[in-house]
Amino acid sequence: MTRPPGIDELLERVRATYERIAPRPAHEAATAGDALLVDIRYAALRDRDGVIPGALIIERNELEWRLDPQGSHRVPEATGHDLRIVVICNEGYASSLAVASLRQLGLRRATDLIGGFQAWRAEGLPVTEA
């Protein structure tokens, strides 16, 4: 019987399938209009730490429904499968699993932010109160 992977192994497998992005390049891409930043953190973290200006807030449990370009519950920003999406969680773990799910929906350019919101803030990039 094959043992199932642990979470660390699963993250490693998932992350090997795409290129993640660091905070500064993500900020530059979003500023240039080349990427949609999507914050999946829950409200208590946004209230505590603030938000990234211009990031779309979609909590994790709604992510696939809101970003599927073919879905009936999609947000207006979900314009097509070629959209470059940068998923942001608190520290860059849950976002990797979210990206795997988005890629299964055909969002081939979905990626996540290395280190999550905490890395963004540590880089001194823009943050505002929620």
Side-chain angles (χ1 to χ4, degrees):
M1 181 195 269
T2 306
R3 89 175 160 77
I7 188 61
D8 293 328
E9 184 180 340
L10 180 60
L11 277 172
E12 186 177 315
R13 286 182 190 179
V14 165
R15 289 173 175 169
T17 66
Y18 66 94
E19 187 174 332
R20 302 177 79 208
I21 190 167
R24 277 209 190 276
H27 178 258
E28 292 165 5
T31 301
D34 293 332
L36 176 65
L37 303 180
V38 179
D39 187 342
I40 64 170
R41 295 173 303 140
Y42 52 90
L45 288 177
R46 295 191 312 268
D47 290 345
R48 182 189 77 190
D49 294 336
V51 296
I52 297 169
L56 186 61
I57 307 295
I58 304 176
E59 290 195 19
R60 176 63 190 98
N61 63 323
E62 297 181 353
L63 189 67
E64 293 82 358
W65 284 268
R66 300 292 184 232
L67 292 180
D68 179 3
Q70 302 176 109
S72 59
H73 293 85
R74 72 183 175 277
V75 294
E77 294 86 351
T79 56
H81 289 94
D82 289 335
L83 182 63
R84 185 177 183 196
I85 298 168
V86 178
V87 181
I88 303 164
C89 68
N90 195 47
E91 294 182 345
Y93 296 100
S95 57
S96 295
L97 299 176
V99 166
S101 182
L102 292 177
R103 286 179 161 254
Q104 287 180 331
L105 291 174
L107 293 159
R108 63 178 184 77
R109 295 183 69 206
T111 188
D112 72 321
L113 188 69
I114 299 168
F117 178 86
Q118 297 305 324
W120 178 281
R121 186 169 66 176
E123 282 285 321
L125 295 168
V127 173
T128 59
E129 287 187 30

